[in-house]
Amino acid sequence: NYDYNIYGLTVTYELGFATLTSASSSFDTVQKKSSISGTATFASGATSAVLSTGVNAEIEGIAQEFRLAGANMDTGFNWVAGVFFSKYESAISSNVVTRYLSGDVLFQSVNGQELDESESMAYFVDTSYVIGDHLTLDLGLRYFEDDRKINSGFNLGAGNSVDPANLKKATFDKVSSKI
């Protein structure tokens, strides 16, 4: 079972000196799988019958960009400046039942879950100046930042397996330029 929704909207407005563009998008997906079975043999020689009773994945996100662009054909100067934002969240859960055909453990149920979140922001500016028929000078600068959170875990038995102590956070940022 797989379900998804994707929406997008772009609006452009002429300001006279520049063009303002707003581009928005939103998406969400849900994927459900069930009843996957098989047999596994481990290095220890133990053999088990494995039955996955469910894998569910849900992902949703949004993105928004505002861009202002101008061009002067008389001077050959063009520019673009803007801001971009995106955010997504995902949740993946699985339930696996294992029955060992040999070895000490006769029955095992594992519930696993992973939660993931990302929030990104970028600011950018790009300019170009036409120097001649075959030469253009381009200058650009972009700052990007991404805040990420992830939490995952599993337990033996049913119930919520995400432990707040397992939460990992990180922030990535970068300034890039071009000439």
Side-chain angles (χ1 to χ4, degrees):
N1 185 8
Y2 186 73
D3 186 28
Y4 63 92
N5 295 301
I6 301 171
Y7 305 99
L9 175 67
T10 301
V11 177
T12 302
Y13 186 74
E14 274 301 324
L15 300 172
F17 71 97
T19 302
L20 176 64
T21 303
S22 170
S24 307
S25 64
S26 172
F27 70 92
D28 63 81
T29 63
V30 176
Q31 185 175 5
K32 296 181 179 184
K33 295 181 182 179
S34 62
S35 300
I36 300 169
S37 62
T39 303
T41 303
F42 301 98
S44 65
T47 304
S48 67
V50 178
L51 172 65
S52 173
T53 59
V55 176
N56 299 318
E58 296 182 35
I59 305 169
E60 62 183 35
I62 61 166
Q64 174 67 52
E65 180 177 316
F66 292 105
R67 181 175 54 244
L68 195 60
N72 186 325
M73 298 310 237
D74 295 332
T75 64
F77 182 70
N78 304 302
W79 58 274
V80 175
V83 61
F84 174 82
F85 172 80
S86 73
K87 181 175 183 174
Y88 83 84
E89 297 175 349
S90 69
I92 300 171
S93 62
S94 62
N95 297 301
V96 178
V97 176
T98 303
R99 180 177 58 88
Y100 285 90
L101 304 176
S102 60
D104 296 335
V105 179
L106 298 176
F107 178 81
Q108 182 179 33
S109 176
V110 178
N111 169 267
Q113 210 169 32
E114 179 176 303
L115 304 175
D116 203 358
E117 184 178 315
S118 174
E119 188 171 302
S120 301
M121 182 72 87
Y123 305 92
F124 57 91
V125 63
D126 188 77
T127 60
S128 66
Y129 181 70
V130 178
I131 296 172
D133 289 340
H134 302 287
L135 185 61
T136 302
L137 176 63
D138 288 324
L139 300 171
L141 188 64
R142 178 182 175 94
Y143 172 75
F144 171 79
E145 181 176 299
D146 188 19
D147 295 320
R148 298 237 172 171
K149 296 178 188 174
I150 188 168
N151 195 342
S152 62
F154 68 92
N155 64 16
L156 301 178
N160 188 350
S161 59
V162 175
D163 182 354
N166 291 336
L167 178 65
K168 305 221 181 338
K169 297 180 184 180
T171 298
F172 307 94
D173 63 345
K174 182 175 183 169
V175 175
S176 55
S177 61
K178 75 173 189 175
I179 294 181

